[in-house]
Amino acid sequence: MNAPHPPKVAGIDSTVPTPAHTVAPAPPAPGATPVPAPNGPAPGTLLQDRLAGWVSDLTTLHELTERLVRTDSLDGALRELLRAGAALVGARRGLVVLEPADGLGPDSTIGLGLGRADLGHIETVPRGAMSYGELLDTPAGLPGGGEIRHPDLFAEDGLDPRHREVAARLGYAASYALPLTTDAAGRLGAAVWLYDEPAEPDERRRHLAGLYVRYATEHLARLVEVERTRACVATLSEELLPSRLPRVAGVQLAARHRTGPRGGGDWYDALPLPDGALGLAVGSVTGCGPSAVAAMGRLRASLRAYAVMEGEDPVAVLSDLELLLRLTEPARSATALFAYCEPALRKVTLAGAGHSPPLLIGERRTEFAETSVSAPLGMLACWEAPSVEFEAEAGETVLLYTDGLLHRTGDPTDRAFARLHAAAASVPRALRRDPAAIADHVLRTVLPDGLDAADSPEDVVLLAARFD
């Protein structure tokens, strides 16, 4: 005979089984007079059960907060907040709306058990009719700024018709919402959990959820600041790079740039020079963060000046750049490659300082250009290396790149070079006329599975020049 099922309540759906909070009574001492059992449990047993319940709650909160602090991205933290909150309040679905009150962003909406289309339906409901809208539009500290419970939406008077329609379409009948607010950062957003049937968490579950959400919001506030810093550094880095590539007869250009989360010093440049020539440059400054980005901007601006004055001699350009770096920033080093191109002759003269060799991609060959071994700028008392000349055939593309492309693969150097060569050799024939398509293909092939995303640690630069 099957045991009866307990009634359905909104409670903790913990992944750890709840331990029994009772202890077997001790056997009576020999010769002791039996004491009749009282009508109810002993006070000590009640206190013991209560303490065991508190320990269980604290253990659950500890496990959930441990999972939260292991998230290192804002998106991951928001998803963990939704999952943990759903377990605490006994819900199956929910959404979190991130919308900092200072208006500086980032803004996002993430769902648990809700697809993009479902979130789109919810966003069609007037904002003030939704729990998150009430929380986001209520000033902190005023009545209504705390939790919002709707234990039975369809039984409420005055439910917005559009809200009723969306709730019926998505199949939820109750909701429980909490604000994401801290004393220091103010309002960050709101979290809402949805129930398939009329339900609400009891007082104990609401208390646990409130404790967890307060802690989670502090973690979110730190990640919001990190995300803003990343966006600021990325914007600064992009602004210091060319806003558009020049148009030079006889050559087509394309560039791709991926900035790491901490902001690095990888850069590229392409500038027209006298007599129809073209200067191409890529490089990387040691370090990361705003200081490396600023150093990159200074180095790139200086190289442009040296290229205009003596671009036909790449060794002289890099020598001047090395002297400037050594005098102005003695604690920093950099790698660089500068190429002086004559498109009419398809002739390239280049010099490199500790930089990876360019890659020639054509119909009849895919090979690395032979360059001399040299040290990075700022590493020796006086940098010097010979230049190298080669001629590109009609239709060939010269691909310049920074070491971040190789480092992001996580492979040893020789294997990373082999991966790059294989990616370049596999460019489909139909794409070889477009340097942008070649750069995209190489980037996707060398860095699959999201390694080309902005949260990968290394900066990546590709600069492709296809000769007509």
Side-chain angles (χ1 to χ4, degrees):
M1 184 173 184
N2 294 331
H5 294 288
K8 183 173 182 180
V9 295
I12 297 178
D13 181 17
S14 176
T15 57
V16 180
T18 304
H21 300 322
T22 59
V23 178
T33 303
V35 179
N39 294 330
T45 302
L46 291 175
L47 179 59
Q48 188 177 29
D49 284 350
R50 181 172 296 180
L51 289 175
W54 290 341
V55 171
S56 176
D57 290 344
L58 291 174
T59 300
T60 300
L61 285 176
H62 174 73
E63 292 172 353
L64 294 177
T65 53
E66 281 291 306
R67 290 209 301 246
L68 177 70
V69 297
R70 285 196 291 267
T71 60
D72 56 1
S73 69
L74 188 57
D75 183 81
L78 291 171
R79 295 186 187 279
E80 179 59 33
L81 165 67
L82 276 177
R83 286 192 293 266
L88 289 172
V89 302
R92 191 171 61 88
R93 293 180 291 173
L95 69 153
V96 60
V97 179
L98 186 68
E99 189 179 293
D102 57 14
L104 300 179
D107 297 345
S108 66
T109 301
I110 293 176
L112 172 68
L114 298 171
R116 187 180 299 274
D118 298 331
L119 294 176
H121 285 306
I122 291 176
E123 289 176 350
T124 63
V125 179
R127 181 183 173 99
M130 298 296 296
S131 299
Y132 69 82
E134 295 182 58
L135 292 173
L136 293 177
D137 297 335
T138 300
L142 293 182
E147 64 178 18
I148 295 180
R149 288 176 282 165
H150 293 289
D152 190 348
L153 285 168
F154 297 105
E156 293 183 7
D157 295 331
L159 183 65
D160 186 274
R162 180 57 183 164
H163 191 183
R164 185 185 303 274
E165 178 184 345
V166 169
R169 176 191 291 266
L170 300 184
Y172 67 87
S175 67
Y176 178 68
L178 286 173
L180 305 179
T181 305
T182 69
D183 293 337
R187 188 204 71 207
L188 294 181
V192 184
W193 290 276
L194 306 175
Y195 300 93
D196 298 342
E197 301 173 1
E200 66 174 323
D202 59 25
E203 183 178 356
R204 171 171 164 265
R205 273 60 178 182
R206 296 200 306 271
H207 177 66
L208 290 176
L211 291 175
Y212 176 79
V213 167
R214 282 197 291 274
Y215 178 86
T217 306
E218 295 288 347
H219 183 62
L220 289 175
R222 291 188 291 269
L223 291 178
V224 165
E225 289 302 318
V226 170
E227 190 67 26
R228 288 176 175 177
T229 302
R230 289 178 181 177
C232 181
V233 172
T235 301
L236 177 62
S237 179
E238 292 295 335
E239 290 297 325
L240 289 174
L241 294 175
S243 58
R244 62 170 62 102
L245 296 172
R247 293 185 178 181
V248 178
V251 65
Q252 302 174 54
L253 299 174
R256 295 294 181 265
H257 182 220
R258 300 290 186 270
T259 303
R262 295 176 295 175
D266 285 20
W267 51 275
Y268 69 92
D269 206 351
L271 65 157
L273 298 174
D275 302 323
L278 174 69
L280 301 176
V282 292
S284 177
V285 176
T286 55
C288 59
S291 63
V293 174
M296 174 267 288
R298 292 191 292 268
L299 210 63
R300 173 179 168 265
S302 301
L303 185 141
R304 290 175 70 91
Y306 298 144
V308 170
M309 292 187 293
E310 47 194 7
E312 67 280 357
D313 185 357
V315 171
V317 172
L318 293 187
S319 295
D320 292 343
L321 195 64
E322 195 272 342
L323 178 60
L324 176 73
L325 183 68
R326 196 151 43 86
L327 293 176
T328 59
E329 301 186 54
R332 197 181 297 275
S333 63
T335 64
L337 187 147
F338 178 73
Y340 179 79
C341 306
E342 299 174 80
L345 304 175
R346 295 194 295 276
K347 179 180 176 183
V348 179
T349 305
L350 65 87
H355 210 82
S356 299
L359 190 58
L360 290 169
I361 306 172
E363 295 290 340
R364 294 185 294 179
R365 62 174 175 173
T366 299
E367 61 186 31
F368 291 101
E370 293 188 6
T371 57
S372 57
V373 178
S374 60
L377 303 176
M379 296 292 289
L380 302 177
C382 181
W383 176 87
E384 186 175 354
S387 61
V388 176
E389 290 186 4
F390 63 86
E391 290 186 9
E393 297 182 6
E396 284 191 331
T397 298
V398 178
L399 183 67
L400 281 65
Y401 53 93
T402 57
D403 292 341
L405 179 64
L406 306 176
H407 293 162
R408 280 200 188 191
T409 64
D411 292 338
T413 302
D414 56 345
R415 190 175 299 175
F417 274 116
R419 178 184 288 195
L420 174 58
H421 185 275
S426 67
V427 175
R429 185 180 300 272
L431 302 181
R432 292 179 180 263
R433 294 179 175 274
D434 184 0
I438 293 175
D440 288 335
H441 176 85
V442 170
L443 195 61
R444 288 193 306 267
T445 308
V446 175
L447 302 177
D449 303 325
L451 288 174
D452 63 333
D455 57 353
S456 295
E458 298 279 349
D459 280 15
V460 172
V461 161
L462 284 84
L463 179 60
R466 182 184 183 276
F467 290 88
D468 296 338

